[in-house]
Amino acid sequence: MKIKIQRQTLVEYEVDMQDATLLAVLERIKTSQDASLTYASGCKSSVCGSCSMRVNGKEVLACGYKVKDGDFIEPLKNVPVIRDLVVDMDKAYEFNAKAKAYSNNPHAKNISVTQENEKINEIQSDCILCGSCYSACPVYAVNSEFLGPFSLTRVWKYVSDVREDDSKEKIDTIQTNGIWDCTLCNECTLVCPQDISSKSDIEKLRSKSAMAGHTDPNFASMDFGGGLSF
Amino acid sequence: MNKNDVLVIGAGGAGLVAALNAYESGAKVKVITKEYPTRSQTCMAQGGINAALGNAGEDSVEAHVQNTLKSAKAIANEEAIRVLCESAPEAIEWLDSIGVCFSRTKDAKIAQRTLGGASAPRACYAQDYTGLKIIHTLYDRCLACGIEILNERFLLEILTNEDSACGVKVLNIRSGEEEIYESGSVIIATGGYSRVYDKHSTNSSATTGDGIVCAIEAGARASDMEFIQFHPTALKGSSILISESARGAGGYLVNSEGDRFVNELLPRDEVARAIHNEIAKGEDIFLDIRHLGEEFIDEELPQERKLAKLYENVDPVYDLVPIKPVAHYTMGGIEVDKNSSTIVKGLYACGECANHRVHGANRLGGNSLLELIVFGKQAGINAAEFAKTNTPSVLRNPHANMHSRTKRGSEIEVDFYKIREELGDMFYKSVGISRDKSTLEDTLKTVEEFISKLPLMGVSDKSKIYNTNRIEFLEFKNMLVLSRLILTGAITRDESRGAHFRVDKPNEDDKFKIHTIIDKDGVVS
């Protein structure tokens, strides 16, 4: 089986492995063929988010993807490549802080959370910060300061939580470079290994923003084809 | 040079809890990790976190204490266990207050389930993603507090002056440069050392015990290193963990004939040994949770189903899951007192890298996540307090050329990746669930040979930037040091106790109702 890996140049490797995960193949190459091949890995069980990369243009976790002959492996997009398949996630993760993706009410004691309440953000709290959604997001081509899919999902996780007493500050924060910059293309949903849909979380944040009196800033600048242009 | 009040090395659950508490105590805190915080081993904890809340059945702190003591086989500190168990309800309340999404009962309480060795449903959980949801919430909390976290830096040395820890030397993995950070105190929270068993471990590839090795170099002691927990149910082909909660919920262990052969809810050491004995008889062993039903499995054990399908091509809803026991948790670690302090002033340790003497010879499921919260807090508060009064004097020169020059490229005569694999296979076979003195002694000889061959090994990747070949070699060297400590402990402990089972000495011996304490010069007591 042959695979191609985008390093500084495109490099082809041949391995004799069947039904193997991409991470197992990378480990085999590193320990027996080419110790300079560089990738990140950790848990091998799809929960630490270290080994996200692209195969044939689509984001996957290397530990959760079974390799096929001819696969083309690349690093994530929208993040600086440090070396080979390793990218620098610092800036991407900083958007969590910029979006205020944390509890506003950290000393909420004894607030009753029902099973129904817990279900509201159960799946959002499954996020492993692998950055697949961030890589797949087309908005970064036009706005490098977009808060991005995983950070906005995290904001939804907190504002939808019954333990939060005040979501206004968060909702205000995500009006700029946030929810209205999303094109709702749904690429983030398609690549999420945890079945999270940031697109639908962003839609929910838009509804909540509208209820809080915010409007889509794109409306103001839109030309509806009427007016004085006759 | 950067001066900080408190430096926390490691950003898993223990490290982040320590950082948050040091911060709340008024200290300036910097966290340094060799990965990113959410990639730490804590994210892999599935089953739950113990606290005698009694939400799902009658329970008491006393029962929690007694269960933990019993499993520890008389080499735990009852006082420390009491602190752990009494602090547990408050620890859960705190996690709940910062936003951890625990599963809930019908009457809106935090859901609890039974794990091995527990007399009541005591483990609070979030599906089978308990550790994941805790570590991410702690990370979010650190962001809220603006705690500085430096990612991708590998610990090389803990710096000390005449009488206390005063900083660290790390390798910036990205730049390939060494960096020095000074501080009033240092907290080590770098995790366990199960990766000595290489592919025969459920752990992340980063679980290489780096902090323990550096702490010993700096003058601290390690204890009970021979006690290594084998998790009964890892997937047979890949060593991927299947949570104990699968058995807690009523899952069976069966052999090739489909017969059950052990009470599935005994503590892990006993279940692992029973499986080991069956395998020795030539049996294949399976986990059977088919009778729990698809709805229950998808609700309570979604991750297990996904992993079994991916790695073993079986669906636990319809199929038996092939399993084997593999290395999972290391009870031993850096010896600390009741303040989480080592014998080196200003040097603290918490989490799996530390030995707070609460797990003894065998840890109970659900007690390790608890330990992170309770002793992480203690370490954070005490390290902040110490830093207030400690004005670090001039650094003693960090060891300039402590290690001989590492071989490069074509000079390399021995491939350390091969030795690393050999070490793991040998440990699984000879320092595993069943041990005997002469095999342990032979294994130690082989480890010493590996150590003597280190000058023939090296780093073939010449890059300065993000050289994982170099990092893996550094981790491998640490694991060789740890291997020697594990074996020294296992040979010295001429008896069987908990996870340390010696076929040549199959019974407990009161003479060994003590901790094995080791420093860099060898066994202290």
Side-chain angles (χ1 to χ4, degrees):
Chain A
M1 184 168 64
K2 287 177 182 167
I3 62 168
K4 290 196 285 285
I5 301 179
Q6 185 63 57
R7 305 183 61 185
Q8 273 187 322
T9 57
L10 193 61
V11 183
E12 188 173 74
Y13 294 96
E14 185 165 5
V15 286
D16 182 21
M17 292 170 84
Q18 300 298 320
D19 193 38
T21 63
L22 175 55
L23 182 56
V25 170
L26 295 174
E27 279 175 356
R28 175 74 66 84
I29 294 169
K30 185 165 184 76
T31 56
S32 63
Q33 290 182 32
D34 183 352
S36 73
L37 178 65
T38 305
Y39 54 88
S41 73
C43 72
K44 301 180 300 303
S45 46
S46 307
V47 74
C48 78
S50 303
C51 65
S52 43
M53 51 190 73
R54 289 186 300 144
V55 178
N56 307 326
K58 189 185 177 238
E59 286 74 10
V60 300
L61 295 176
C63 69
Y65 174 82
K66 296 277 177 76
V67 178
K68 290 187 273 303
D69 188 42
D71 277 346
F72 171 44
I73 323 297
E74 297 169 277
L76 294 183
K77 286 189 300 186
N78 298 331
V79 278
V81 174
I82 299 177
R83 191 181 174 202
D84 295 351
L85 300 169
V86 174
V87 294
D88 183 343
M89 294 300 291
D90 283 351
K91 185 186 174 191
Y93 289 164
E94 274 166 22
F95 285 123
N96 283 329
K98 285 187 183 156
K100 300 192 192 298
Y102 42 73
S103 168
N104 258 3
N105 188 22
H107 301 293
K109 291 276 162 71
N110 301 318
I111 293 175
S112 173
V113 181
T114 65
Q115 281 182 334
E116 291 69 33
N117 296 149
E118 188 250 331
K119 291 291 162 215
I120 292 172
N121 59 7
E122 178 189 322
I123 191 159
Q124 287 81 0
S125 59
D126 288 344
C127 174
I128 60 173
L129 285 181
C130 66
S132 292
C133 55
Y134 191 95
S135 168
C137 179
V139 174
Y140 288 101
V142 293
N143 181 4
S144 63
E145 293 308 306
F146 179 44
L147 293 171
F150 66 69
S151 294
L152 291 169
T153 278
R154 256 172 142 76
V155 171
W156 173 253
K157 176 202 170 273
Y158 282 104
V159 301
S160 64
D161 197 302
V162 293
R163 290 167 291 190
E164 282 297 302
D165 57 351
D166 180 14
S167 58
K168 183 175 182 305
E169 192 193 2
K170 288 191 205 326
I171 293 294
D172 290 349
T173 302
I174 58 170
Q175 301 304 310
T176 310
N177 293 322
I179 49 172
W180 308 108
D181 288 58
C182 171
T183 64
L184 305 182
C185 73
N186 208 36
E187 289 294 326
C188 51
T189 312
L190 299 177
V191 298
C192 178
Q194 294 291 77
D195 298 323
I196 298 165
S197 173
S198 289
K199 179 226 175 197
S200 76
D201 295 334
I202 289 167
E203 288 180 306
K204 284 180 267 188
L205 286 167
R206 285 185 178 187
S207 306
K208 206 168 173 77
S209 297
M211 284 190 283
H214 293 285
T215 51
D216 183 347
N218 300 313
F219 266 130
S221 58
M222 269 182 197
D223 181 353
F224 289 98
L228 298 170
S229 60
F230 52 87
Chain B
M1 294 277 184
N2 304 278
K3 277 199 199 280
N4 297 274
D5 294 343
V6 177
L7 271 178
V8 181
I9 314 302
L16 296 188
V17 171
L20 284 166
N21 281 280
Y23 169 84
E24 283 183 14
S25 304
K28 183 164 175 281
V29 182
K30 201 189 281 286
V31 180
I32 297 179
T33 164
K34 71 172 172 177
E35 308 175 281
Y36 292 84
T38 56
R39 297 182 182 183
S40 308
Q41 179 67 39
T42 304
C43 76
M44 296 182 73
Q46 299 173 355
I49 170 167
N50 287 338
L53 304 178
N55 290 352
E58 201 176 313
D59 199 5
S60 67
V61 170
E62 190 56 32
H64 188 183
V65 169
Q66 292 308 324
N67 292 165
T68 305
L69 266 176
K70 186 177 176 203
S71 179
K73 301 280 187 230
I75 56 155
N77 177 345
E78 183 169 343
E79 194 192 338
I81 290 177
R82 287 200 178 276
V83 169
L84 181 77
C85 301
E86 283 165 8
S87 309
E90 185 194 308
I92 300 298
E93 187 179 83
W94 179 68
L95 290 173
D96 186 32
S97 78
I98 62 171
V100 174
C101 295
F102 286 112
S103 296
R104 302 283 161 168
T105 62
K106 285 196 174 62
D107 54 349
K109 289 177 178 163
I110 290 171
Q112 297 190 280
R113 59 187 168 201
T114 309
L115 298 179
S119 59
R122 187 176 295 138
C124 306
Y125 62 96
Q127 297 83 47
D128 48 5
Y129 283 124
T130 316
L132 175 79
K133 297 195 183 194
I134 289 175
I135 188 72
H136 279 252
T137 310
L138 292 171
Y139 175 60
D140 295 346
R141 201 68 233 131
C142 287
L143 295 184
C145 298
I147 291 172
E148 188 182 2
I149 300 172
L150 298 175
N151 299 315
E152 307 203 296
R153 281 156 172 91
F154 185 89
L155 179 64
L156 294 173
E157 189 183 344
I158 298 163
L159 305 174
T160 50
N161 56 26
E162 303 75 52
D163 59 353
S164 69
C166 58
V168 295
K169 182 164 84 174
V170 298
L171 176 66
N172 182 326
I173 299 173
R174 295 173 185 174
S175 68
E177 299 284 348
E178 290 182 358
E179 297 170 343
I180 303 271
Y181 295 93
E182 291 182 276
S183 62
S185 58
V186 177
I187 301 173
I188 301 298
T190 49
Y193 47 94
S194 286
R195 283 300 292 200
V196 168
Y197 292 81
D198 199 46
K199 62 178 181 283
H200 311 283
S201 164
T202 59
N203 283 199
S204 158
S205 48
T207 313
T208 53
D210 314 314
I212 301 174
V213 175
C214 290
I216 292 171
E217 277 295 323
R221 292 168 169 179
S223 57
D224 302 332
M225 296 292 284
E226 65 274 26
F227 290 103
I228 290 153
Q229 177 165 83
F230 282 69
H231 197 289
T233 57
L235 293 176
K236 191 178 178 187
S238 58
S239 298
I240 302 280
L241 174 67
I242 296 295
S243 170
E244 187 159 289
S245 50
R247 282 172 288 129
Y252 302 137
L253 290 170
V254 298
N255 60 22
S256 312
E257 287 81 55
D259 295 330
R260 292 172 68 187
F261 53 89
V262 65
N263 171 2
E264 288 87 353
L265 281 177
L266 289 172
R268 288 177 184 167
D269 56 336
E270 296 179 54
V271 178
R273 214 148 39 234
I275 297 172
H276 178 83
N277 292 340
E278 288 291 303
I279 292 173
K281 283 189 253 165
E283 298 284 342
D284 291 319
I285 307 301
F286 303 90
L287 175 69
D288 186 358
I289 58 170
R290 294 172 298 180
H291 55 288
L292 301 180
E294 185 165 11
E295 192 187 341
F296 180 87
I297 291 169
D298 282 346
E299 174 58 37
E300 303 278 316
L301 306 165
Q303 187 181 189
E304 317 304 352
R305 188 177 186 190
K306 185 165 134 180
L307 294 173
K309 281 181 175 173
L310 178 67
Y311 285 97
E312 296 288 336
N313 294 314
V314 298
D315 184 346
V317 172
Y318 308 106
D319 307 309
L320 295 172
V321 183
I323 57 98
K324 67 177 180 195
V326 300
H328 178 62
Y329 184 90
T330 46
M331 270 75 77
I334 303 165
E335 176 72 357
V336 290
D337 64 15
K338 63 180 181 182
N339 301 309
S340 296
S341 176
T342 70
I343 56 167
V344 178
K345 275 199 274 177
L347 182 62
Y348 298 79
C350 55
E352 191 175 346
C353 73
N355 184 5
H356 280 85
R357 300 184 169 187
V358 290
H359 308 307
N362 176 60
R363 177 179 69 86
L364 283 183
N367 272 355
S368 57
L369 283 176
L370 176 60
E371 169 185 13
L372 309 183
I373 311 299
V374 173
F375 295 121
K377 178 178 177 178
Q378 184 186 72
I381 292 170
N382 291 335
E385 188 59 34
F386 183 87
K388 272 182 203 162
T389 55
N390 184 40
T391 328
S393 56
V394 183
L395 279 180
R396 193 183 65 191
N397 281 339
H399 300 127
N401 286 307
M402 197 171 56
H403 305 288
S404 54
R405 197 183 73 88
T406 302
K407 280 202 187 310
R408 294 274 174 178
S410 57
E411 306 166 350
I412 296 169
E413 292 168 53
V414 177
D415 177 3
F416 81 86
Y417 286 125
K418 286 211 174 69
I419 306 290
R420 186 178 74 176
E421 188 177 2
E422 231 175 277
L423 179 74
D425 290 345
M426 179 174 75
F427 257 65
Y428 188 56
K429 193 163 157 266
S430 308
V431 200
I433 295 168
S434 177
R435 309 166 171 184
D436 76 78
K437 188 164 197 162
S438 69
T439 314
L440 290 170
E441 284 168 345
D442 291 345
T443 308
L444 182 58
K445 270 186 213 133
T446 311
V447 167
E448 296 298 349
E449 274 167 37
F450 290 161
I451 290 171
S452 69
K453 279 188 199 156
L454 270 173
L456 307 176
M457 303 179 209
V459 179
S460 60
D461 181 3
K462 295 183 179 71
S463 171
K464 199 170 176 192
I465 307 298
Y466 218 99
N467 188 333
T468 51
N469 186 218
R470 181 180 180 190
I471 297 300
E472 286 174 326
F473 187 53
L474 291 168
E475 290 174 334
F476 170 69
K477 289 202 276 191
N478 283 341
M479 289 194 288
L480 281 179
V481 174
L482 294 163
S483 299
R484 188 193 259 157
L485 300 183
I486 297 165
L487 284 161
T488 307
I491 292 166
T492 310
R493 185 171 289 283
D494 222 5
E495 62 153 0
S496 290
R497 188 179 296 271
H500 173 71
F501 182 75
R502 286 264 302 265
V503 283
D504 54 329
K505 292 282 167 71
N507 300 311
E508 279 180 30
D509 180 344
D510 277 353
K511 203 162 72 220
F512 291 99
K513 216 160 80 178
I514 48 167
H515 299 269
T516 317
I517 297 175
I518 303 180
D519 69 7
K520 65 178 162 187
D521 301 320
V523 177
V524 179
S525 65

